[in-house]
Amino acid sequence: MTSSFDRASGAAWFRLIALAEAVSWVGLLVGMYFKYVGTPRTEVGVKVFGMAHGLVFIAFVVAALLVGVAAKWSARTWLLALLASIVPLASVIFLIWTDRTGLLDVGAGSAGLAEAGASGSEST
């Protein structure tokens, strides 16, 4: 695997969560189509993908918070991250932009997601 998907990297976790957030949005939009327009009309898609999207949305905001602190994002970048979590599929656009501009480069010794989880397990 490439270094951009190193599991120990906070940026890699952010990438994974951002992509999962976009996939859950698509699932929720399809579920809403079948709830309000499609045939047969059913609420199953909204119930399943609504819960999944809610959980992934929270994970995206937490991951953005952790990576943003480690990478020292500006207020503008924080605002764009929050907007990307709300607008459908904008998390992928935000992810591509942060990758291209180097805003996900938090360095080898940064306090990323994996390190935050490791420090929490050491205190027990």
Side-chain angles (χ1 to χ4, degrees), residues 57-70:
F57 167 80
I58 292 169
F60 179 83
V61 172
V62 169
L65 176 70
L66 293 173
V67 171
V69 167

Side-chain angles (χ1 to χ4, degrees), residues 5-115:
F5 285 102
D6 180 16
R7 291 187 322 186
S9 166
W13 281 106
F14 181 74
R15 286 180 185 96
L16 182 66
I17 292 168
L19 293 173
E21 204 264 345
V23 169
S24 70
W25 252 121
V26 170
L28 183 57
L29 291 172
V30 169
M32 288 178 8
Y33 171 79
F34 280 106
K35 179 178 180 179
Y36 296 111
V37 179
T39 303
R41 292 196 179 189
T42 178
E43 293 187 20
V44 173
V46 173
K47 288 181 181 181
V48 171
F49 284 105
M51 174 65 81
H53 177 68
L55 294 173
V56 176
F57 167 80
I58 292 169
F60 179 83
V61 172
V62 169
L65 176 70
L66 293 173
V67 171
V69 167
K72 298 179 178 134
W73 285 351
S74 68
R76 176 180 172 256
T77 307
W78 284 105
L79 180 62
L80 290 173
L82 291 176
L83 287 173
S85 68
I86 297 169
V87 177
L89 306 176
S91 62
V92 173
I93 296 168
F94 180 77
L95 177 62
I96 292 168
W97 176 70
T98 54
D99 262 340
R100 288 185 179 171
T101 57
L103 291 170
L104 288 182
D105 297 336
V106 294
S110 65
L113 291 174
E115 294 165 2

